[in-house]
Amino acid sequence: MSYKIGLVGKPSVGKSSFFNAATMNDVPEGAYPFTTIDPSVGEAYVRVDCAAPEFDETCTPSVGFCDHGTRFVPVKLVDVAGLIPGAHEGKGLGNQFLTDLNEADVLVHVVDFSGETDIEGEKTEGHDPRDDIDFLEDELDMWYLDVLEKGLERYRSGYHGEEKNVEEDLAEQMSAFKTNKDEIKQVVLSLGRSLDPDEWDDEDKEAIAREIRKRTKPMLIAANKMDKPAAQENFEEITSDPDYDHLTFVPASAHAEKALKKAEAGGVVDYEPGADDFDIVGDVSEDQEEGLEQIREFLDAYGGAGVQRSLEAALFDVMGAIAIFPGSANGRSDTQGVFRDCFILPEGSTTEDFAYHLHSDIGDGLLHGIDCRSERQVGSDHELDHRDVLEIVTTG
């Protein structure tokens, strides 16, 4: 499977520019609301240090590519249609937005940190980016609360036909959010609430809905337009605000990333996506050189343009996913090539999970795994680490 990262945010914050910079697709861009009407889906990449050099091998990727020991593993990127306040009530493109959004495994909320667009996506000055962060979280929380309320109605109606615990009915109602009864029970108890919903007031229900949302729709904030002084000031203020400690922030300039990728494609610069520097290798005018040097200053200050880093931080840091290389003690994935594959699995995946990820027959016949670095045997319940190289021994 390929993980799906959803780009979300209000209109006119540079979300489509961010999408184009990540995928180099040509979707419409513009500083006006609803440039994006339907979700655009493209292929982006996340970087993983390739394991092949550790085995004195050169990899032959079946998908993606490898550049000087950095593996670029494909993921799906979805630019979801613009959001406005009241989306959970169906305003704007609300219903379609929520449907498209629910397909994403992790969210990157693109926020205009320059404060040059208001809550509706119209041009302004001095807008506080915190309002944008808050409104998206509030919209998602209200969406989850609506579904939770329906689950409570189901529980109280006795429609299930047999006595069940409330977490079972809520899990059935909220199944589209990829949650389950055990997780919901854990959420309720972790918040210090009773498992008897008759004891919940409105504040309790909102807290439960919010916590389920945080666990099932993890989110990263891409602080876009950070090449502007006002954005830099806002970034310092907001990231030091304890009210936002639960979020991960990445400073970004979609404009800088896209400009460098275009220049690289045109033979003007030598640039690896996500890198913190580049080399000018083609002929450029004085103005072009000045523009590139301004971009270089931004990359140096923030460790890159932020687009690539946002995707990777969302997947590996916020979501906790891990990359696993199938192989053998000599590093070969199979007879057709070396380290052909690199799979991204959920946090906490085991040897057995990986075996079933490869194929159901392999999982059914699993005997054990072999850690190809140490050449030690590992059991089916062995929890994997990021960048493990694992051989599966199976009867399947």
Side-chain angles (χ1 to χ4, degrees):
M1 65 174 277
S2 177
Y3 275 95
K4 188 176 288 187
I5 300 174
L7 290 185
V8 295
K10 71 183 186 185
S12 308
V13 296
K15 186 159 55 70
S16 294
S17 299
F18 192 103
F19 177 88
N20 285 337
T23 64
M24 291 309 289
N25 283 15
D26 189 20
V27 304
E29 299 176 12
Y32 50 89
F34 299 125
T35 303
T36 306
I37 301 300
D38 297 317
S40 299
V41 181
E43 185 173 79
Y45 298 90
V46 291
R47 294 171 296 176
V48 177
D49 289 338
C50 188
E54 299 176 47
F55 293 82
D56 295 322
E57 296 279 4
T58 300
C59 68
T60 53
S62 59
V63 295
F65 60 97
C66 196
D67 186 8
H68 296 92
T70 299
R71 193 74 167 250
F72 286 78
V73 183
V75 294
K76 291 181 180 178
L77 189 62
V78 182
D79 179 12
V80 182
L83 174 69
I84 64 170
H88 74 281
E89 299 172 339
K91 295 180 181 178
L93 305 176
N95 292 332
Q96 186 60 47
F97 168 84
L98 297 174
T99 299
D100 296 333
L101 185 73
N102 206 37
E103 296 298 316
D105 297 296
V106 64
L107 306 179
V108 172
H109 182 189
V110 182
V111 177
D112 177 2
F113 261 59
S114 71
E116 295 178 350
T117 49
D118 66 18
I119 202 70
E120 299 283 353
E122 303 288 351
K123 287 187 177 181
T124 189
E125 293 182 4
H127 180 72
D128 190 341
R130 276 174 285 213
D131 293 343
D132 300 343
I133 298 171
D134 294 344
F135 106 76
L136 178 57
E137 289 202 291
D138 289 345
E139 286 295 332
L140 298 184
D141 290 345
M142 291 302 100
W143 174 32
Y144 271 63
L145 180 59
D146 287 345
V147 180
L148 183 141
E149 293 275 18
K150 292 175 182 176
L152 292 177
E153 290 175 11
R154 176 190 180 95
Y155 171 77
R156 293 188 175 112
S157 70
Y159 175 75
H160 39 63
E162 59 184 57
E163 187 173 349
K164 287 187 180 180
N165 296 322
V166 65
E167 60 266 28
E168 294 183 65
D169 279 319
L170 290 180
E172 289 180 16
Q173 191 67 42
M174 306 182 84
S175 60
F177 298 137
K178 300 176 183 177
T179 187
N180 56 62
K181 63 179 183 179
D182 293 332
E183 183 173 38
I184 290 176
K185 182 177 181 179
Q186 185 183 46
V187 165
V188 174
L189 295 177
S190 70
L191 294 172
R193 268 65 173 189
S194 165
L195 290 173
D196 181 358
D198 290 334
E199 297 182 13
W200 299 350
D201 57 19
D202 290 344
E203 184 179 327
D204 293 329
K205 288 183 283 188
E206 289 176 12
I208 293 168
R210 183 179 304 111
E211 185 61 26
I212 295 173
R213 187 268 302 171
K214 287 181 179 179
R215 296 190 185 201
T216 59
K217 282 287 176 281
M219 184 188 307
L220 174 140
I221 305 297
N224 198 27
K225 305 186 183 181
M226 281 290 292
D227 46 342
K228 299 185 178 183
Q232 296 165 15
E233 293 177 11
N234 285 329
F235 187 84
E236 291 298 322
E237 184 175 344
I238 294 171
T239 55
S240 61
D241 186 337
D243 287 345
Y244 298 92
D245 285 347
H246 64 288
L247 292 169
T248 297
F249 293 82
V250 174
S253 170
H255 168 77
E257 180 74 16
K258 188 174 181 183
L260 286 174
K261 282 190 173 180
K262 279 190 171 182
E264 203 276 337
V268 175
V269 302
D270 182 9
Y271 171 68
E272 178 185 289
D276 59 4
D277 201 2
F278 59 89
D279 294 318
I280 299 176
V281 296
D283 295 329
V284 294
S285 67
E286 189 173 315
D287 288 344
Q288 288 173 322
E289 184 174 4
E290 182 180 350
L292 287 170
E293 290 304 324
Q294 289 177 352
I295 292 176
R296 192 193 304 277
E297 290 178 9
F298 178 82
L299 266 59
D300 182 62
Y302 292 101
V307 172
Q308 191 69 41
R309 184 177 160 204
S310 293
L311 303 182
E312 292 157 0
L315 196 63
F316 296 125
D317 298 338
V318 176
M319 190 176 175
I322 57 174
I324 303 296
F325 295 89
S328 61
N330 66 7
R332 293 190 173 273
S333 295
D334 57 33
T335 57
Q336 299 178 358
V338 179
F339 286 100
R340 295 179 65 249
D341 300 307
C342 178
F343 296 106
I344 299 177
L345 274 66
E347 182 179 23
S349 292
T350 63
T351 301
E352 183 178 36
D353 295 329
F354 183 46
Y356 275 108
H357 181 85
L358 296 174
H359 198 281
S360 59
D361 289 345
I362 295 176
D364 289 342
L366 174 65
L367 297 175
H368 59 263
I370 296 176
D371 182 326
C372 296
R373 289 190 175 92
S374 66
E375 299 188 24
R376 290 184 175 182
Q377 180 175 314
V378 295
S380 61
D381 60 350
H382 171 73
E383 188 170 319
L384 305 177
D385 292 323
H386 184 55
R387 295 188 62 254
D388 270 354
V389 182
L390 193 70
E391 178 179 8
I392 296 296
V393 180
T394 177
T395 61

